[in-house]
Amino acid sequence: MNAKEGRRWRNFLRNGKLQIIPLGGLGEIGKNCLAVRCGNDIVVIDCGLMFPEEELLGIDVVIPDVSYLVENRQMVRGIILTHGHEDHIGALPYVLPQLNVPVYGTRLTLGLLEGKLEEQLPGFKADLRVVRPRDVVECGCFKVEFIRVSHSIPDAVAVALHTPLGVVLHTGDFKVDHTPVDGELIDFHRLAQLGEKGVLVLLSDSTNAEHPGYTMSERVVGETFEEVFRRSRGRVIIATFATNIHRVQQAILVAQRYGRKVAVAGRSMVNVVSIAHKLGYLNLPQGVMVELEEANRLPRHQVAILTTGSQGEPMSALTRMATGEFKQLEIIPGDTIIISAVPIPGNEKLVARVVDQLFKRGAMVLYEAVSAVHVSGHPCQEELKLMINLTRPRYFIPVHGEYRMLIRHAELARELGLRPENIFVAENGQIIEITPKGGRFAGRVAAGRVLVDGLGVGDVGNIVLRDRKQLAQDGILIVVVALSQETGQVVAGPDVISRGFVYVREAEALMEEVKAQVRAILDRCIERKSLEWATIKSEVRETLSRFLYERTRRRPMILPIIMGV
Ligand SMILES: [Zn+2]
Ligand SMILES: [Zn+2]
């Protein structure tokens, strides 16, 4: 440490405080994003997206509100990525144009991010800096250290921020896998070392905090694959997350052992397999991979297919196979289909429908409820306890989870002897402030969700959503009428157009009544000489709304259009 640096640290220590500000991923699964501020330096850990719940009609993705970071742009020293899942990197194509700071991550993480940026922001120059586990980089007053963990994607890391006040350790997503497919163990030694020296704050993954016991090793899935391949006489089709490269790897090796060729279906599977292979994370033995067309020509017992769609996503390859819309591959009796994933909450019905449709086509379907075709990438209670006991933090903040999961995780920490006043169950936007005297909640920054629809980022708000809901529930009725600008007399119309409300041709009587109502309103207005268009419109809306509800018990959106002639 040179003199200038020493002065800065002493200065910091005198009025030193550390702020931890979750901007996403608390009270929800997804759009993980967390800011840590120390003096005038901010680092950001992860910046992910979330897929919309059903009531967010037409929304493509949801990203965190990062206005706090954009307003304090000059203090942001870097964005640090723990791994390459969408809920950790997916918001960057939207955020980086407003905040083009250095992005640190391991090779696979940045490889996946690069692919996304090329696709969504062609020509954009991002400052991507590759790190390896145990590397340390400097970001303002933070020394940022990367620590290997196991997860359902290779090359995942936890992050230790060495600050003047102490070490802030963020686990990222992790699990404890004693027999990882790639042989790369979670770095117990370094975690224990940090614990020995003293960890100030631990932020840990709460996704599975409700589940007792341990998460099983990824190898268990490989054993199930082995058994399925041994028994199957027809084709074997495996649907999983494309980024679960260890699982993809196991499927390919087992297929090869049983004399099968492997073809890949689905855009994201093709993309990820090619990136992971190029970067050396996926071993594709010579001659094992074939194109789909070739696979269709081979005898069935020599074919395995890897595909996307394990969540029943409507546009995915597996869903289209199930409905017979996937032209390159038709499901036939004798096929065995493994859905190697667990439905993300909210997707259960979609997945169940796909399973039903596949059965109807005569296929055998293995899915999580009936077979060991999936293990989680997140830690169960015993692993969470291990993490807390290894690192022995002074303060504890459960992250990555819905509220009840955070609460369960906090309880576990209490059971292990952490002091209740040092455990913070926070909401997105809440500032947790740590000083040498103690920790406390210290206000809020703007946080929440930004909705992305097509090319629009944030332009769809509550009003647009409310309209979409009304349109989706009861449809729309449009009334068009042309009025003379001088006398206010009706020149043409009223005409009535309806979509999603009633089928006009089968509701002619009702439509005639609607027109009569409109004519009556216009006559009344002319009589009263109140020819303000706004008044006429609101009267049309109110009267028709009441009338239609009485007749149909529906509340369509009513849109009066008046044209002056
Ligand atoms: Zn993850
Ligand atoms: Zn995650």
Side-chain angles (χ1 to χ4, degrees), residues 32-84:
N32 299 296
C33 185
L34 182 112
V36 182
R37 177 171 174 177
C38 168
N40 287 330
D41 296 314
I42 295 174
V43 291
V44 182
I45 299 179
D46 290 334
C47 197
L49 60 70
M50 192 169 160
F51 293 100
E53 308 116 67
E54 227 164 314
E55 76 242 31
L56 294 177
L57 296 163
I59 298 301
D60 302 325
V61 299
V62 183
I63 59 173
D65 178 348
V66 293
S67 43
Y68 169 75
L69 300 176
V70 174
E71 278 158 27
N72 295 292
R73 197 188 277 119
Q74 72 292 346
M75 293 188 214
V76 180
R77 306 291 169 231
I79 298 173
I80 295 149
L81 302 178
T82 59
H83 62 286

Side-chain angles (χ1 to χ4, degrees), residues 83 85 87-88 151 173 378:
H83 62 286
H85 277 155
D87 57 326
H88 297 258
H151 187 38
D173 287 349
H378 300 274

Side-chain angles (χ1 to χ4, degrees), residues 147-197:
I147 301 166
R148 185 181 298 285
V149 293
S150 300
H151 187 38
S152 46
I153 186 170
D155 235 7
V157 289
V159 173
L161 302 175
H162 297 263
T163 78
L165 232 61
V167 172
V168 177
L169 179 66
H170 190 305
T171 63
D173 287 349
F174 78 101
K175 69 186 269 187
V176 177
D177 191 337
H178 292 284
T179 52
V181 171
D182 60 3
E184 299 281 7
L185 279 171
I186 174 171
D187 195 346
F188 292 112
H189 301 101
R190 187 60 189 141
L191 291 168
Q193 236 171 19
L194 287 171
E196 174 83 34
K197 276 194 257 171

Side-chain angles (χ1 to χ4, degrees), residues 8-9 12 38-41 77 139-143 162-164:
R8 208 171 73 206
W9 280 51
F12 172 81
C38 168
N40 287 330
D41 296 314
R77 306 291 169 231
C139 289
C141 73
F142 297 97
K143 284 197 166 63
H162 297 263
T163 78

Side-chain angles (χ1 to χ4, degrees), residues 348-473:
E348 295 90 347
K349 272 197 193 139
L350 291 174
V351 176
R353 200 177 310 145
V354 169
V355 171
D356 285 348
Q357 283 164 328
L358 291 169
F359 272 127
K360 274 190 193 158
R361 290 182 178 268
M364 177 65 203
V365 192
L366 300 171
Y367 49 101
E368 203 253 350
V370 298
S371 185
V373 290
H374 175 74
V375 298
S376 172
H378 300 274
C380 290
Q381 289 176 357
E382 295 306 311
E383 292 152 273
L384 295 173
K385 290 181 198 167
L386 177 66
M387 181 59 79
I388 293 171
N389 279 336
L390 269 180
T391 57
R392 295 192 302 199
R394 170 119 52 102
Y395 300 99
F396 178 64
I397 306 171
V399 294
H400 300 178
E402 291 171 8
Y403 196 68
R404 64 185 182 283
M405 305 168 188
L406 304 181
I407 292 285
R408 281 300 295 137
H409 202 177
E411 266 172 41
L412 287 180
R414 253 198 314 273
E415 283 165 25
L416 298 184
L418 264 76
R419 295 162 62 157
E421 67 270 26
N422 287 357
I423 300 173
F424 295 90
V425 175
E427 287 169 23
N428 292 333
Q430 267 190 314
I431 302 172
I432 300 149
E433 195 170 270
I434 310 279
T435 66
K437 289 196 204 79
R440 62 182 185 109
F441 285 116
R444 283 176 181 275
V445 304
R449 63 187 189 188
V450 172
L451 307 179
V452 179
D453 184 6
L455 293 177
V457 179
D459 60 335
V460 173
N462 288 335
I463 293 172
V464 174
L465 275 178
R466 198 190 58 204
D467 286 352
R468 286 185 183 181
K469 246 173 248 172
Q470 195 185 4
L471 289 170
Q473 275 164 9

